[in-house]
Amino acid sequence: MKLFRYGQRGSERPGVLDSAGKLRDLSNVIADVAGAALAPESLARIAALDLSTLPEVPAGERIGACVGGVGKVICIGLNYADHAAESGAAVPVEPIVFMKATSALCGPDDGIIIPKDSQKTDWEVELAVVIGLEARYIDEANAMDYVAGYCVANDLSERAFQLEGTGQWVKGKSADNFGPMGPWLVTKDEVADPQNLHLWLEVDGHRFQDGSTETMVFGVAYLVAYLSKFMTLQPGDIISTGTPPGVGLGQKPPIYLKPGQVVRLGIDGLGEQTQKVVTYESTL
């Protein structure tokens, strides 16, 4: 099942994609794709509906971030061995954890806004995991019971903010529109193996990233269990699981995003995103 959210930013409504590829409104079924609506019994109730009876979403509506009411976005750094190598870093012996501000979240096709004074805005296609049940001190063996589904994420980064000066990753990851999510929240029953997904990213038609989740250092189940030992995972929380090689920082010489460029990215079975790069000043 593919859930989504549509409408103006801050007032998105819930929706579901039917078997014919039509966008259907879920407002009379759930208040939002958020919180308790992500629990297994809620998802089962939606899956049992005759979707053809639901109202169609009007054409041309903006697609928002596929999850609402997100409490936290937890990111995993250097979680692909070949990406660690291109970054000049050692493969981590345990997950590197940092946070992205929830104010960075946006729709899959919203513009990438280059922050004020930025010279090094970079891209990162990632598999994001959405939590469906509260998880605390859980085991890897049953970690997937707490997952609602998956989505495409672009973990945009400003490398100078991230790595220079005090070198705090959260500063480089949290600018406005640095967290496109979606278009769909794909429920876990539609993903046979989250460790066997092809993911890719292009800038102006040139493919920079072309990898597979099978090369993750730490897999999804391990990450969910690991994180639950340090913080309670709540419904709607997002875990962005790391990026394969091919980021701008890893090019020789490095390449960073410029206004007017178009970024396309996707994960097989989870959908695609398209974003135009704009300046901060153009949004004022």
Side-chain angles (χ1 to χ4, degrees), residues 2-276:
K2 293 179 172 66
L3 302 173
F4 64 93
R5 299 168 71 246
Y6 74 95
Q8 294 299 311
R9 190 165 186 162
S11 57
E12 290 93 344
R13 298 160 65 94
V16 60
L17 189 71
D18 71 15
S19 59
K22 294 181 178 179
L23 306 181
R24 300 284 184 173
D25 182 87
L26 272 176
S27 298
N28 292 328
V29 182
I30 56 174
D32 198 357
V33 183
L38 299 170
E41 59 271 19
S42 173
L43 296 178
R45 183 163 61 97
I46 297 169
L49 295 173
D50 179 358
L51 300 183
S52 66
T53 65
L54 299 176
E56 285 192 49
V57 173
E61 287 280 1
R62 168 187 174 270
I63 301 298
C66 59
V67 186
V70 177
K72 50 188 175 287
V73 182
I74 311 160
C75 302
I76 308 299
L78 304 176
N79 197 31
Y80 288 71
D82 33 13
H83 172 55
E86 74 172 350
S87 301
V91 176
V93 296
E94 66 178 287
I96 296 172
V97 180
F98 61 95
M99 310 291 271
K100 180 188 286 281
T102 57
S103 56
L105 296 177
C106 65
D109 300 330
D110 291 343
I112 294 171
I113 302 173
I114 295 182
K116 187 177 180 180
D117 301 324
S118 166
Q119 299 295 323
K120 299 180 179 180
T121 295
D122 202 352
W123 58 82
E124 293 188 13
V125 60
E126 303 202 4
L127 172 67
V129 180
V130 179
I131 297 299
L133 289 174
E134 188 169 283
R136 184 186 300 109
Y137 297 112
I138 62 173
D139 296 324
E140 184 177 356
N142 63 354
M144 299 307 292
D145 295 342
Y146 297 82
V147 172
Y150 307 93
C151 65
V152 181
N154 190 353
D155 180 25
L156 290 151
S157 312
E158 210 298 332
R159 299 303 187 187
F161 299 171
Q162 176 190 358
L163 301 171
E164 299 172 16
T166 55
Q168 296 174 4
W169 287 22
V170 68
K171 294 192 306 187
K173 302 282 187 170
S174 295
D176 291 347
N177 284 33
F178 264 31
M181 295 284 167
W184 324 117
L185 166 57
V186 181
T187 52
K188 64 183 177 184
D189 58 292
E190 289 199 7
V191 179
D193 183 1
Q195 303 309 146
N196 186 28
L197 296 173
H198 174 231
L199 62 173
W200 56 271
L201 182 144
E202 299 174 351
V203 180
D204 287 344
H206 178 82
R207 184 157 294 196
F208 282 96
Q209 292 188 276
D210 200 350
S212 171
T213 57
E214 67 182 353
T215 64
M216 281 183 183
V217 179
F218 306 103
V220 170
Y222 182 89
L223 290 173
V224 173
Y226 178 85
L227 292 170
S228 78
K229 294 173 172 55
F230 300 98
M231 64 193 83
T232 298
L233 302 178
Q234 297 167 318
D237 283 351
I238 295 171
I239 304 170
S240 203
T241 60
T243 197
V247 300
L249 176 66
Q251 307 304 307
K252 301 187 184 305
I255 299 172
Y256 298 111
L257 293 172
K258 304 295 182 186
Q261 292 184 311
V262 175
V263 178
R264 290 183 62 244
L265 60 148
I267 301 177
D268 287 358
L270 303 187
E272 298 182 8
Q273 303 181 354
T274 302
Q275 298 130 13
K276 185 175 181 180

